[in-house]
Amino acid sequence: MEKNIQFAPNVMLIDASYLGRVVRDMHRHYTTVVGRDLPKADLALLLECLALDGGMQFGENEIQVLLFHDSAERQISTCIPSDYEKELHGKAFESRLGEFSLYAFQPADMASCETLFTEALSLALNAKETVRLLIVPDETGYGKEVLSLLDAEKVHKDISVFGMNPPSGQGGYAFDLLGFSVLQALGIHADELR
């Protein structure tokens, strides 16, 4: 990853391969629970929900979304839009929260998605212009390493980590359940879960 990347005040680092697996599993499970066919997850709504859960307020925010995915994947097939190259990379959308700018990255040569993700995280943690970080790491793959990195850095930023299982300890970050945002993006209403 480029060392001189210009970060926005609000940065979302998302392991899109992991997110896709979570959405797929929840889609499969909740189709049975609610007893109806569910649509693919609305990616824009999912990003908005993550931003709100991460403490962002409505306004003219600049939100940079960095999506990391395995090199074999061309799309996040559980979401709409899905194609990294044609529909996501270099695209943007506006909402009541501000402008979301999306960029997709995949590892090159011998690097792994984990290496790319943690390198970007280190850069964002040290970026003076970034005040809020919202992080969705591969919880089962390298989530513990990300939490260790956050604990070691002692950075004064507003940091939220999203996952499906709360960490055993608590560091200088907030933890939020990823599943709530996914349920919203799948169009599942609270009254359907009673």
Side-chain angles (χ1 to χ4, degrees), residues 4 15 35 50 60-61 71 109 118 177-178 181:
N4 58 358
D15 187 314
L50 290 172
E60 303 276 328
N61 298 297
S71 54
D109 302 324
T118 54
L177 286 172
L178 176 60
S181 295

Side-chain angles (χ1 to χ4, degrees), residues 48 51-52 55-61 63 95-98 100:
E48 287 179 288
L52 287 168
M56 197 166 296
Q57 302 294 315
F58 293 118
E60 303 276 328
N61 298 297
I63 305 129
S95 84
R96 294 189 309 158
L97 289 168
F100 288 76

Side-chain angles (χ1 to χ4, degrees), residues 43-80:
L43 185 59
L45 178 58
L46 178 55
L47 296 174
E48 287 179 288
C49 290
L50 290 172
L52 287 168
D53 286 347
M56 197 166 296
Q57 302 294 315
F58 293 118
E60 303 276 328
N61 298 297
E62 183 182 345
I63 305 129
Q64 187 177 46
V65 182
L66 307 180
L67 301 164
F68 300 90
H69 63 94
D70 295 328
S71 54
E73 296 175 358
R74 296 290 168 236
Q75 61 183 348
I76 182 168
S77 62
T78 54
C79 296
I80 295 176

Side-chain angles (χ1 to χ4, degrees), residues 44-178:
L45 178 58
L46 178 55
L47 296 174
E48 287 179 288
C49 290
L50 290 172
L52 287 168
D53 286 347
M56 197 166 296
Q57 302 294 315
F58 293 118
E60 303 276 328
N61 298 297
E62 183 182 345
I63 305 129
Q64 187 177 46
V65 182
L66 307 180
L67 301 164
F68 300 90
H69 63 94
D70 295 328
S71 54
E73 296 175 358
R74 296 290 168 236
Q75 61 183 348
I76 182 168
S77 62
T78 54
C79 296
I80 295 176
S82 62
D83 189 290
Y84 292 116
E85 186 66 31
K86 295 177 184 170
E87 299 175 314
L88 299 174
H89 185 70
K91 306 294 189 228
F93 69 91
E94 291 271 344
S95 84
R96 294 189 309 158
L97 289 168
E99 182 176 87
F100 288 76
S101 301
L102 285 68
Y103 303 94
F105 299 96
Q106 64 183 359
D109 302 324
M110 300 297 282
S112 66
C113 198
E114 173 185 350
T115 301
L116 190 60
F117 189 95
T118 54
E119 184 176 309
L121 175 57
S122 292
L123 292 172
L125 285 169
N126 292 307
K128 290 180 180 148
E129 62 273 17
T130 300
V131 295
R132 175 177 282 113
L133 275 170
L134 307 174
I135 306 165
V136 182
D138 183 337
E139 184 175 53
T140 56
Y142 55 87
K144 289 181 182 176
E145 290 81 0
V146 166
L147 298 181
S148 295
L149 179 63
L150 293 175
D151 288 338
E153 289 289 332
K154 305 290 187 230
V155 179
H156 301 289
K157 293 186 188 298
D158 186 357
I159 300 173
S160 294
V161 177
F162 293 87
M164 297 302 287
N165 301 294
S168 55
Q170 187 65 25
Y173 54 86
F175 178 84
D176 287 290
L177 286 172
L178 176 60

